[in-house]
Amino acid sequence: MLTRPALLVALAAALSAAAPRIAVHGHRGARAVLPENTLPAFEYAIRAGVDAVELDVVATRDNVLVVSHDQALNPSICKAPGGSRLIRELSLEQVRRWDCGSLRHPQFPKQRPVPGARIPTLDQVLALAGQGDFRFTIEPKSFPRRPRNAPPLGEFARLLVDAVRRRGLEARVTVMCSDLALLRAVKRLDPSLRLAAICTRWPNEFVEKCRQAGAQVVALNQRLITPEVVRTAHDAGLTVLSWTSNEPAEWERLIEAGVDEIGSDDPAALIDFLKSRGLR
């Protein structure tokens, strides 16, 4: 007969096995801990055990995809050598002159600087694939109102798909975007790629938006998520990815709503929280 402590351990194990696993995305790597969208941040997230690293890509003047959330280099987190800050106007060589690791992000006081960290290319990040069993969630940053700041949609999609194919990572990549036209361009080039449509303002229209894009995932700001929204998505056969939440109260609410995947700037803390709830 099992003792009471042993019975509790067995019960916890059974509940954990029965509970759905919530996937964790390291948002921009792990920018609560290390400078965003840098190789050290991605490597930290991988070691922490994320299911996916999330990253943003833009194109340089010489059509190299580099990892940056902003179309113009942000002087609050990158030390500037001078000249233009718009990445589309800079060559890869010029982009690499920026130090994006020495300045602590003003919103994340616990972030540890990594002096000298540079903006990596997409290929450099994809080269981390051998470090673990995880996915890449790649957000190509298109600018429909400022089309000169990005390649034409077809070219942008080709650059992205070619980069993924060169590394043989089609089965490990999700392309996430709010621009339906860009998602459709990616799908035409490679229908096998998993697509996520970002919906920011109209949660009641997300099913149609995903249908138009051919997306299997709806990516929603965590403030838009309710149990009803999640049920609607699941009834339509969609996976729900929530972005971006960093507090236990937010995680608890998202768990109760039934989301499938959560993006966080502090993925290690989120993983520990999920483990404490038997969800990993």
Side-chain angles (χ1 to χ4, degrees), residues 2-213:
L2 291 175
T3 64
R4 178 177 175 79
L7 183 60
L8 291 175
V9 169
L11 179 59
L15 290 173
S16 178
R21 176 186 174 95
I22 295 179
V24 172
H25 293 238
H27 183 242
R28 304 186 201 178
R31 68 173 178 160
V33 181
L34 291 165
E36 68 178 58
N37 279 325
T38 62
L39 291 176
F42 295 125
E43 290 172 329
Y44 169 89
I46 293 166
R47 290 193 302 271
V50 295
D51 299 283
V53 291
E54 186 272 346
L55 56 141
D56 312 279
V57 295
V58 296
T60 64
R61 186 180 67 214
D62 41 355
N63 275 347
V64 178
L65 295 184
V66 295
V67 181
S68 172
H69 176 268
D70 303 310
Q71 57 186 309
L73 290 157
N74 184 349
S76 69
I77 59 175
C78 294
K79 296 176 70 172
S84 174
R85 294 192 293 111
L86 188 63
I87 292 177
R88 186 61 176 161
E89 294 179 349
L90 302 173
S91 67
L92 175 62
E93 180 183 358
Q94 290 172 311
V95 169
R96 283 177 165 163
R97 296 173 188 169
W98 287 68
D99 175 354
C100 293
S102 293
L103 301 178
R104 180 180 288 108
H105 196 297
Q107 294 180 11
F108 299 99
K110 296 181 180 179
Q111 186 187 88
R112 300 193 301 271
V114 183
R118 306 294 168 177
I119 292 177
T121 64
L122 172 59
D123 189 65
Q124 285 178 299
V125 177
L126 294 178
L128 302 176
Q131 295 191 14
D133 181 16
F134 61 94
R135 298 181 58 87
F136 299 87
T137 301
I138 304 171
E139 182 183 349
K141 306 296 286 191
S142 71
F143 310 102
R145 296 182 181 179
R146 298 178 296 278
R148 296 178 64 180
N149 292 356
L153 286 182
E155 185 176 4
F156 203 173
R158 179 186 59 77
L159 290 169
L160 177 55
V161 171
D162 285 351
V164 173
R165 285 176 172 169
R166 279 195 300 271
R167 291 285 178 179
L169 293 171
E170 294 93 328
R172 292 176 59 182
V173 164
T174 299
V175 179
M176 178 173 69
C177 194
S178 60
D179 187 337
L180 299 188
L182 182 51
L183 287 177
R184 287 194 292 264
V186 169
K187 191 172 186 67
R188 284 193 295 270
L189 290 171
D190 192 335
S192 73
L193 286 174
R194 186 177 190 246
L195 302 181
I198 298 175
C199 300
T200 55
R201 297 182 181 177
W202 306 282
N204 294 331
E205 300 176 8
F206 66 80
V207 172
E208 178 61 19
K209 187 171 184 178
C210 289
R211 187 195 66 78
Q212 292 178 14

